[in-house]
Amino acid sequence: MTAVDPNLRATRTTCAYCGVGCGILATPDGRGGAAISGDPEHPANFGRLCSKGSALGETLGLTNRLLYPMIRCRKGTMERVAWSDALDHVAHRFQHIIARDGPGAVAFYLSGQLLTEDYYVANKLMKGFIGSANVDTNSRLCMASSVAGHRRAFGADTVPGCYEDLDEADLLVLVGSNAAWCHPVLYQRMLVNKLERGARIVVIDPRRTDTVGDDDLFLGLKPGTDTALFSGLLVHLADSGALDRDYIERYTTGFDDAIARARSMAGSVGATALATGLSEQDVATFFQMFAKTPRVVTMYSQGVNQSAQGTDKVNAIVNCHLATGRIGRVGASPFSLTGQPNAMGGREVGGLANQLAAHMGFTPPDIDRVRRFWKAPRIATHEGLKAVQMFEAIARGEIKALWVMGTNPAVSLPNADIVREALKKLELFVVSENVVSNDTVDAGAHVLLPAQAWGEKSGTVTNSERRISRQRAFLSAPGEARPDWWILGEVARRLGHGAAFSFATAADVFREHAALSAFENGGGRDFDIGALAALSDDDFDAMAPVQWPVRQGADPQARFFADGGFFANDFKARFIAPEIPALRTETTAARPLRLNTGRIRDQWHTMTRTGESPRLGQHLPEPFVEVHPGDALKFGVADGDFARVTTDYGQCTLRVAVSERQQRGMLFAPIHWSEANATGARVGSLVAPYTDPFSGQPENKATPASIAPYEYVFRGFALSRKPLELPAHAWSARVAVNGGHGYLFADNADLVGWQSWLKSFAREDIAEYVDFGGGVYRAASFCGDRIDACLFIGPARDAGDWNVVKDLFAADTLDNDQRRMLLSGKSADGLANAGPIVCACFGVGRNTICETIAAGARSAADIGAKLKAGTNCGSCIPELRRLIAQTSASDAEPRKLAVAN
C-alpha cells in the first residue's frame, strides 16, 4: 500500500483496471507520480484496493511514453509531426478510402480502457456520420457473451443485481471466475459474508484456482460443459418443486421448450454427472444447495464468456434464476463479473459492432431514433463486423483503413500471428496510444496519436453493477497528449461534420450521451440517465458515483426484474433452449491436450501499465504453462524447466509449472506476455479463432495443443540502469525492478559471446567471475559504489540468486562485504533475502513468510498480524495457506524419520 499524507490534497478518481470500479484517492507528489489509496467513501470498494490498484503509483512514469504525433515517412521511420498535420493526414486518407471503396472499407477497434466519452464520440463518428458499424472493441473478447445472453433473456443488456447482493446472499456460486485473483475486492466481500453470515460458496471451474479454498463445494467440471450442469439444475428445480410457477407464468415465456431441451441433455443427476465429468454426489449436493437457498447469486466471468457456446452458457444460468424468481431481489440474481474498467460504459454507448448507442439496436425504430437525435443522415443501417471477423476482413483486404485506440490486438486476439500480418496489409493504420512501442504499433502503424493516460484523463466509467463514477485528472498531460474524444472530434471536423462534434469538454460529451439515453424513452429502455443531462460543468466535476437508471423525476433503482418489467416487446423474459454443449475442436494424437488461457494475479492485459511496477513483477515474473503432474510425466516436462507448447496456429516457449491444481489433459498459460516483454510467449498466437454464433466472442479456453520439453543449457539474469537489447538467440522475459531494468533469460550459446555482449555496453569498472569450463560467468560493472549493470549466467540452477542480486542492484551504495559477495550470487551478512514476492500490496517475500511460519505463525491471520501480508486485497491468502501447509508437512517429515530410525 502507498501511504498518503493527509495534509496533501487528494483527487477522487477510479481505478484503471477491472470492472469492479474501485474508488481511489490519488495525491500527486509533485514529481510526476502520486500516492495511491482506496477511497473509503466509494460504494464499490469502501477503501479496499487489490495489488494492482495499490501499485498504480508505480506505473505513472514516462518510460516508453508516446508524447507527440508521429507519421511513418517514406524511409519507413516514424517522425514527429504537428497535431494539425497528423489530423489532416488521418482525415484525408479516411476520406479518400471511403470515397473509393465505401464506408465498409474502414473500421475502428476500441478498448474497455477508454472513458465513456471517448467511446461515445468514436461510435457517433463511425456509425452516425461515416455510416459504417465497423466499430468494435476488445470487450468482444471479454463480455460479449454476457451481453448477448442478457439481450436474449431480458430484451436488453441489463445487469439485474448489484454488489450489495454479494453481502446479502446465502449461496454464492462462482462459474468460470477466479475472483480471488481477478476481482479480489469483490471476493473479499464474499468472504466477509461467509464469515459473518455463514454464506456458502460454490466454485465451478475446470481449474482449481486460488478462488478454491474458501469454498464449500468445488466442481471441477470438464471444459465446455457448464450448459449441461445448469440444464441439469433446471431439471432438478422442476422435479423437486423449487420452481416459482407464479413468476414463470406472469413474467416469462418459453419455459416449456427450455425444460424439454434441458431434459434431453441432462435429465437426471446421473446424466448431468456423465455430461460434466463430475461425481453424482457433488452434482446432487450442488443441486440441493441451490434449490433450498432462496438467496443465491450466480456470478460468471471469462470461463463462461470466452467460449464458442458462451451465450448458451449465460442463458442456461439465467434460466435457473428466472425459473425460481431469484432475480432482482436482495441477495438473489445472476451476475456478470466484468473484466475491464469501462466495458460497461462501452456497452452503454454502442461500443460493440452489433449495437447502437444508449442500449439501442439495429432495428428500424432505433436506427431512426438515433438518426434523428444525432441529425445523422448517413447513419449505419446494419450491424458491423465483430472483432475476430473484422481482422479476418483486414487480412482479406476488404477493410483498408483501421484506427486502433488503447488496445493491443496483435497480442490479445486469437490467432494473433495472422492478426499481426493482417495489420501490415492496411493502407492506413492509425493507433491512438500512450506508448511509443508495443506489438500492435510495431506491426507497422502509419500514424501514432498520443492519447492521455490514466491520471490525466477526465470523464466517466461504469462498473459491473451499473455504477457510473468519475475518472478525474490529477496529473498534467505530458508532451502533446490529448483526450481520445478530442482527437476523434478533430478528425470529424476535418471530415465535414464539425457541427455535430463541437464538444469543448468531456462534460459536453457526457451531457449529450445522457440526453440520448432519455430521448423518446419513457421507461421503454433500461439505460436512462436523463436526470444527468443538464449537469453543469461544476456538477459534473463533483458528481458522486451513481447507479443507473437515473430517470428524470424517478426514484433510484438498484435492481431490475423482481416484478417483471423486462424489455422485450411483451415485457416478458425469454427462457432460452440452449444447444447441446460441444467444443468446436477435437483433440488428436498430435494435439492431445487443451490449452486454457487467462490472467494472473498481479498483471493486466499486455502489461503496458502493470509491467512498469517492480512490486507486481515479482510474484510470477516469467511466462509459464501450468501442467498436471501426470501430463508432465507423460510428456517429459519438469517443473522449472522449459517446454514448447504448439497448436495449429502457433507455438510458444514457456517455463513449466507442474501443479496438482491443473486438470489432467489441460494446460493453462497466462495472456500477459508479448514480444515487447518476452521471447516467444504471445499466447494469443496459440488460440483458435472460433467464435460464439451469437456474441462473436472467441473460445479462448480449449484450443487443442501439444507440449514437449525444450532444453536450455544456461539460465541467467541481467540488470541494468538502462534498457538492454538481449542477444536474439536467447529466450528472455523483461521484469520491472527497482532502480532500472531486469531480464531473466535462458540460452544455448557459448559464454564467450555473453561476455562480449556485456562488455559492449558496460562501464570500465568491471568485476568478473569466469569459469567457462564449469559453464559459469558472472560480471558486474559499477558507477561509484553502485551497480550499473550485471550479468549472471550458469548451468540450469547455478546462475546465482536473482532475488539477492536484485536487492543489491536496488541499493544506492554497496559496502565492502556486499561488493565482495556480489559475484557469489548469495546473500551477505546483514542482507535479508525476502525471496519472491507473495504479497504484492506490502512487498512481503516468500522467505520472510516462511521464517514467520517457522517462528510459530499457524494461520493467514497470524502472518497478517506480523507482516501485514494478506490484510489488504487478500488475494495472496490462498498462497499463505499453502506455505503454512507445506511448512507443516516439511516439519513433520523429519520427525517421522527420527521415529523410524
Side-chain angles (χ1 to χ4, degrees):
M1 291 284 289
T2 308
V4 174
D5 182 345
N7 296 316
L8 297 177
R9 182 179 178 276
T11 297
R12 281 196 158 86
T13 187
T14 311
C15 184
Y17 295 118
C18 77
V20 175
C22 293
I24 278 177
L25 296 175
T27 307
D29 61 11
R31 301 183 301 275
I36 300 296
S37 65
D39 182 352
E41 296 181 16
H42 198 290
N45 59 316
F46 298 109
R48 189 184 290 273
L49 291 179
C50 75
S51 59
K52 295 184 290 291
S54 298
L56 270 166
E58 299 173 20
T59 70
L60 299 175
L62 299 183
T63 303
N64 197 38
R65 186 67 189 270
L66 177 64
L67 297 174
Y68 310 101
M70 304 182 81
I71 292 179
R72 191 172 301 280
C73 68
R74 291 181 180 178
K75 295 181 292 184
T77 58
M78 298 298 291
E79 295 189 356
R80 178 180 173 179
V81 297
W83 262 113
S84 58
D85 292 339
L87 296 166
D88 288 345
H89 179 75
V90 171
H92 172 74
R93 296 296 297 143
F94 262 95
Q95 200 165 40
H96 171 74
I97 291 168
I98 293 166
R100 185 190 67 198
D101 300 308
V106 300
F108 292 169
Y109 188 61
L110 311 179
S111 168
Q113 305 290 296
L114 295 176
L115 301 188
T116 300
E117 293 72 22
D118 305 323
Y119 253 131
Y120 180 85
V121 177
N123 277 274
K124 182 178 181 180
L125 174 58
M126 180 60 79
K127 289 174 180 170
F129 289 83
I130 290 176
S132 167
N134 286 342
V135 50
D136 212 53
T137 166
N138 61 15
S139 295
R140 180 70 62 188
L141 315 181
C142 175
M143 302 309 300
S145 294
S146 287
V147 174
H150 291 165
R151 293 175 74 180
R152 288 206 296 179
F154 309 145
D157 176 23
T158 313
V159 174
C162 57
Y163 292 166
E164 184 188 14
D165 294 328
L166 309 184
D167 308 326
E168 300 295 334
D170 296 315
L171 178 63
L172 296 155
V173 182
L174 287 150
V175 193
S177 167
N178 185 8
W181 277 18
C182 298
H183 298 93
V185 169
L186 292 185
Y187 186 62
Q188 291 304 305
R189 289 180 73 157
M190 300 177 214
L191 295 186
V192 169
N193 185 0
K194 179 179 176 67
L195 178 67
E196 295 182 355
R197 297 183 61 258
R200 293 173 297 171
I201 298 176
V202 176
V203 178
I204 302 169
D205 200 309
R207 292 179 65 219
R208 187 177 286 273
T209 66
D210 271 15
T211 302
V212 181
D214 287 286
D215 60 306
D216 296 272
L217 179 65
F218 171 60
L219 300 178
L221 78 179
K222 292 190 299 188
T225 60
D226 311 72
T227 299
L229 179 64
F230 283 90
S231 293
L233 174 59
L234 185 65
V235 172
H236 176 80
L237 294 170
D239 292 347
S240 62
L243 299 180
D244 187 333
R245 293 285 183 184
D246 181 63
Y247 190 93
I248 293 171
E249 179 65 29
R250 294 175 66 187
Y251 302 130
T252 75
T253 185
F255 176 76
D256 290 343
D257 290 342
I259 192 67
R261 180 65 57 79
R263 290 189 187 282
S264 73
M265 74 171 75
S268 66
V269 167
T272 305
L274 186 64
T276 59
L278 299 168
S279 72
E280 289 192 27
Q281 180 178 347
D282 282 350
V283 170
T285 300
F286 171 53
F287 286 0
Q288 291 163 16
M289 290 170 75
F290 194 105
K292 294 177 180 179
T293 311
R295 287 192 174 192
V296 55
V297 176
T298 305
M299 291 156 283
Y300 46 92
S301 195
Q302 310 302 21
V304 167
N305 293 311
Q306 289 183 334
S307 167
Q309 288 186 305
T311 306
D312 274 357
K313 291 179 182 180
V314 170
N315 285 118
I317 293 168
V318 170
N319 283 349
C320 296
H321 281 267
L322 290 174
T324 53
R326 297 171 183 171
I327 187 166
R329 295 177 177 171
V330 174
S333 267
F335 200 105
S336 165
L337 293 177
T338 314
Q340 294 193 83
N342 202 30
M344 295 293 281
R347 287 149 65 171
E348 293 162 9
V349 300
L352 297 167
N354 53 326
Q355 296 177 326
L356 279 174
H359 278 201
M360 287 183 269
F362 281 95
T363 64
D366 283 351
I367 293 168
D368 180 63
R369 184 178 296 112
V370 178
R371 176 189 60 78
R372 287 184 286 109
F373 182 87
W374 278 346
K375 298 180 176 60
R378 286 197 292 260
I379 192 168
T381 57
H382 58 273
E383 296 180 0
L385 294 172
K386 302 178 179 74
V388 174
Q389 290 72 33
M390 177 186 290
F391 284 85
E392 290 172 347
I394 294 170
R396 292 191 301 268
E398 296 167 9
I399 290 178
K400 303 179 188 302
L402 176 70
W403 190 343
V404 174
M405 303 177 204
T407 187
N408 199 357
V411 180
S412 56
L413 277 165
N415 204 5
D417 286 345
I418 295 299
V419 170
R420 184 170 57 182
E421 292 306 307
L423 293 171
K424 296 176 182 177
K425 298 180 179 181
L426 289 161
E427 290 183 27
L428 176 64
F429 179 19
V430 182
V431 179
S432 298
E433 252 301 350
N434 307 143
V435 295
V436 73
S437 175
N438 62 26
D439 288 38
T440 297
V441 170
D442 297 343
H446 302 131
V447 183
L448 297 180
L449 303 175
Q452 290 178 353
W454 182 83
E456 303 152 14
K457 297 196 291 187
S458 178
T460 59
V461 293
T462 305
N463 73 0
S464 296
E465 64 166 349
R466 295 176 278 105
R467 191 175 299 278
I468 300 169
S469 295
R470 285 280 282 111
Q471 191 171 113
R472 296 180 175 90
F474 56 88
L475 296 174
S476 299
E480 296 180 8
R482 298 289 187 271
D484 289 279
W485 63 262
W486 178 89
I487 300 169
L488 286 154
E490 289 297 312
V491 171
R493 292 187 185 96
R494 286 163 170 80
L495 291 173
H497 312 306
F501 292 86
S502 58
F503 307 115
T505 64
D508 287 343
V509 183
F510 181 82
R511 284 187 283 264
E512 181 175 302
H513 162 56
L516 175 56
S517 75
F519 182 60
E520 298 180 351
N521 192 331
R525 303 193 304 274
D526 63 338
F527 180 66
D528 186 342
I529 56 171
L532 305 176
L535 286 180
S536 67
D537 286 358
D538 288 344
D539 288 340
F540 179 73
D541 267 350
M543 189 173 76
V546 59
Q547 194 173 24
W548 67 256
V550 194
R551 303 183 193 276
Q552 190 72 48
D555 292 332
Q557 182 179 345
R559 297 175 179 85
F560 283 87
F561 310 140
D563 299 309
F566 294 94
F567 293 97
N569 290 335
D570 60 1
F571 307 110
K572 290 189 173 184
R574 299 290 189 271
F575 281 94
I576 302 297
E579 297 298 322
I580 294 173
L583 295 170
R584 289 286 298 274
T585 54
E586 298 287 344
T587 56
T588 64
R591 303 281 184 261
L593 305 167
R594 287 197 182 276
L595 174 67
N596 178 8
T597 69
R599 293 174 176 162
I600 59 174
R601 191 188 76 190
D602 296 336
Q603 298 297 346
W604 178 255
H605 285 196
T606 60
M607 295 167 63
T608 50
R609 181 181 288 114
T610 53
E612 300 302 317
S613 166
R615 265 192 295 166
L616 298 180
Q618 303 313 311
H619 181 231
L620 294 170
E622 296 170 291
F624 65 92
V625 57
E626 197 171 87
V627 190
H628 185 275
D631 290 327
L633 184 64
K634 179 178 180 180
F635 296 105
V637 299
D639 188 69
D641 286 347
F642 288 86
R644 174 83 34 99
V645 178
T646 305
T647 71
D648 290 345
Y649 306 93
Q651 61 182 23
C652 289
T653 303
L654 306 167
R655 279 271 202 174
V656 175
V658 177
S659 173
E660 290 277 2
R661 298 187 296 159
Q662 182 63 39
Q663 190 175 121
R664 189 154 194 169
M666 293 288 293
L667 306 173
F668 172 79
I671 62 173
H672 308 290
W673 281 271
S674 66
E675 286 201 353
N677 51 39
T679 306
R682 290 167 60 251
V683 169
S685 68
L686 304 177
V687 176
Y690 295 109
T691 60
D692 180 286
F694 303 101
S695 69
Q697 186 156 358
E699 188 162 73
N700 287 41
K701 302 293 186 180
T703 303
S706 61
I707 190 169
Y710 194 87
E711 187 67 29
Y712 284 111
V713 175
F714 300 113
R715 312 282 176 85
F717 56 86
L719 295 157
S720 173
R721 301 296 167 189
K722 298 178 181 179
L724 299 177
E725 186 80 28
L726 267 66
H729 48 71
W731 179 97
S732 64
R734 180 174 61 83
V735 187
V737 298
N738 288 316
H741 307 268
Y743 306 85
L744 297 166
F745 65 84
D747 194 28
N748 288 320
D750 67 89
L751 300 186
V752 175
W754 280 99
Q755 183 183 43
S756 300
W757 173 78
L758 176 73
K759 291 186 175 180
S760 69
F761 62 84
R763 293 175 179 269
E764 292 182 2
D765 184 5
I766 297 180
E768 290 182 287
Y769 173 80
V770 181
D771 179 9
F772 287 161
V776 177
Y777 176 69
R778 298 171 184 166
S781 71
F782 296 89
C783 179
D785 292 328
R786 189 170 76 150
I787 301 170
D788 187 64
C790 60
L791 171 67
F792 283 62
I793 184 169
R797 290 173 175 81
D798 193 29
D801 191 320
W802 155 258
N803 291 296
V804 168
V805 179
K806 175 167 58 67
D807 289 344
L808 290 169
F809 177 79
D812 290 331
T813 61
L814 300 188
D815 62 30
N816 290 334
D817 287 342
Q818 290 172 337
R819 185 160 178 159
R820 186 169 57 252
M821 288 291 292
L822 171 63
L823 295 186
S824 73
K826 298 177 182 178
S827 181
D829 291 342
L831 176 67
N833 174 18
I837 295 297
V838 172
C839 175
C841 295
F842 295 106
V844 186
R846 184 185 301 156
N847 294 351
T848 305
I849 292 166
C850 289
E851 289 167 3
T852 303
I853 295 169
R858 289 294 175 263
S859 68
D862 288 346
I863 296 171
K866 291 178 172 63
L867 303 176
K868 287 192 173 182
T871 61
N872 181 43
C873 74
S875 58
C876 65
I877 289 176
E879 190 164 350
L880 300 182
R881 290 172 177 165
R882 285 197 298 275
L883 291 173
I884 292 167
Q886 291 166 9
T887 303
S888 299
S890 64
D891 286 348
E893 190 64 27
R895 290 196 293 271
K896 291 178 183 177
L897 291 173
V899 170
N901 290 336

